[in-house]
Amino acid sequence: MQSPEQAVYQRIAEDFYIDNMRLDHGTSMPYFHYHDAYELFYLKEGRKIYIIDDEDLDVSGGDLLIIRPGEKHRSVSPDNKPQYRLIMHFKESSFVRFRDVIGEVLIPEKLPRLLKIPSKKIATMEDLFGRISTFDAKDVKNLVRHAEIECVMFDLICRIRDISASFSKKKTSGNRTVESAVRYIDQNHCTDISLESVAEAVYVSPNHLSTLFHRYTGMTFSRYLTDVRIRHAV
């Protein structure tokens, strides 16, 4: 009989795997693991902490996490609230028609691990994820279904590239104050927060935070807060 660890390692070794699941409570993976395929983790509802190598990433509703082959990772649920997420594993070798595109778009230098999908793009992205979740591993061996998978996946990869280009990691990286403010907003967007309260939480003046926020995110504080609230509402 397989241990839970063996079962997980066997499952994530598949070339093409999709798990679209709604959970009524939080779940955690207490041990690190890695695989030789890409993993896309899309969180529709809930919150998750992903530890990848030595980096902690706070994932919330509307976020897309990209884990590359060979990256050691595990996940932790900071609360016991319901979650709705989609996990997809795939290899470049499974998609001959756009193998080079995957390698070009998903390299770390061009794409961050964590993408926050803008509110106006959530419906389109979730439609793509919904279409992809109708496939499974055996479809890769079917000529027609395989072609369908490749078309949808090509669309998904291109949209990921576009989202990254419009709101890339470099806009918030390099300034710990902005990163802390973004994290605080994502965790407290349902409360009556303001520029002043967030500035107090990250130990800077409101004017200084406003200047930093616009410089590193490309949008005003109020615009970002509104966008976060819309994403979660959607």
Side-chain angles (χ1 to χ4, degrees):
M1 183 176 180
Q2 291 180 327
S3 68
E5 292 83 1
Q6 290 172 325
V8 170
Y9 272 94
Q10 178 183 15
R11 187 177 69 179
I12 63 179
E14 294 180 9
D15 287 359
F16 187 74
Y17 168 79
I18 297 174
D19 181 9
N20 191 8
M21 186 177 295
R22 184 187 295 273
L23 304 170
D24 59 4
H25 55 79
T27 60
S28 299
M29 183 174 289
Y31 56 90
F32 281 96
H33 68 281
Y34 68 92
H35 37 79
D36 58 355
Y38 287 96
E39 176 178 329
L40 296 183
F41 178 88
Y42 174 65
L43 189 63
K44 185 172 182 178
E45 298 175 11
R47 185 179 168 214
K48 203 85 164 176
I49 306 294
Y50 256 82
I51 302 96
I52 305 178
D53 292 333
D54 58 351
E55 183 179 9
D56 292 3
L57 296 168
D58 199 327
V59 187
S60 57
D63 287 354
L64 176 66
L65 184 65
I66 300 165
I67 303 172
R68 298 172 179 88
E71 291 186 329
K72 295 177 295 183
H73 59 282
R74 69 184 184 93
S75 61
V76 177
S77 289
D79 53 46
N80 201 38
K81 295 181 180 179
Q83 296 178 357
Y84 186 12
R85 85 289 189 277
L86 180 142
I87 298 176
M88 182 188 340
H89 298 130
F90 62 94
K91 294 182 179 179
E92 294 176 17
S93 58
S94 297
F95 305 101
V96 178
R97 292 177 180 84
F98 72 104
R99 179 185 304 166
D100 294 339
V101 176
I102 292 179
E104 177 67 20
V105 172
L106 299 185
I107 59 175
E109 292 79 9
K110 292 189 176 182
L111 198 69
R113 286 192 175 115
L114 183 62
L115 284 177
K116 295 186 176 296
I117 300 176
S119 55
K120 62 183 179 181
K121 296 181 182 293
I122 285 181
T124 300
M125 293 296 285
E126 290 193 353
D127 177 65
L128 281 173
F129 286 127
R131 293 168 63 188
I132 291 171
S133 65
T134 65
F135 302 115
D136 56 40
K138 68 177 183 294
D139 289 326
V140 176
K141 300 178 182 179
N142 181 289
L143 185 63
V144 176
R145 292 287 280 176
H146 189 189
E148 292 180 28
I149 294 173
E150 290 206 311
C151 289
V152 179
M153 287 291 291
F154 181 79
D155 192 3
L156 177 65
I157 296 298
C158 289
R159 291 180 186 276
I160 288 174
R161 177 203 58 192
D162 293 341
I163 291 172
S164 175
S166 63
F167 190 77
S168 63
K169 184 182 180 181
K170 65 183 179 181
K171 291 180 179 178
T172 57
S173 65
N175 189 282
R176 293 185 179 276
T177 299
V178 178
E179 291 174 348
S180 297
V182 166
R183 186 160 51 249
Y184 185 87
I185 292 170
D186 288 348
Q187 295 173 7
N188 298 277
H189 63 90
C190 290
T191 65
D192 187 23
I193 59 176
S194 63
L195 174 64
E196 289 72 18
S197 62
V198 176
E200 182 179 357
V202 298
Y203 308 108
V204 296
S205 71
N207 286 340
H208 186 53
L209 178 60
S210 178
T211 300
L212 288 176
F213 213 88
H214 190 271
R215 179 187 304 165
Y216 284 92
T217 68
M219 61 179 74
T220 64
F221 173 87
S222 59
R223 168 76 181 277
Y224 183 84
L225 177 59
T226 300
D227 191 72
V228 169
R229 285 172 168 165
I230 291 174
R231 283 196 300 112
H232 285 275
V234 172

